[in-house]
Amino acid sequence: ETVRGLEVLENEPVTVSAGVAWASDPTEHEDTYKNADQALYFAKNTGKNRVARFIANEGILALEAAA
């Protein structure tokens, strides 16, 4: 709702997509960045105002739409 209410450009809606990932091993930064990037593109390709979570141990992406 906060993003939807922003007026960055006149008469142009603002949307946000996000990819989320976390590491079970804090030293695996590179894999975590890749997983978050994969989740981001998954969210962007499935619509606007989406958040996708990469769940490494399950090997799936969970998608949530913003209200």
Side-chain angles (χ1 to χ4, degrees), residues 45-67:
N45 289 329
T46 55
K48 296 180 179 188
N49 292 322
R50 309 265 182 198
V51 176
R53 293 178 290 138
F54 187 93
I55 304 169
N57 60 344
E58 297 178 25
I60 63 170
L61 291 169
L63 182 67
E64 300 168 6

Side-chain angles (χ1 to χ4, degrees), residues 3-16 48:
V3 172
R4 191 178 305 171
L6 292 176
E7 288 191 29
V8 177
L9 298 172
E10 188 175 330
N11 298 320
E12 293 292 328
V14 176
T15 64
V16 174
K48 296 180 179 188

Side-chain angles (χ1 to χ4, degrees), residues 16-35:
V16 174
S17 295
V20 179
W22 56 93
S24 55
D25 179 351
T27 63
E28 297 178 359
H29 299 294
E30 200 64 38
D31 287 340
T32 304
Y33 295 140
K34 288 178 186 176
N35 293 343

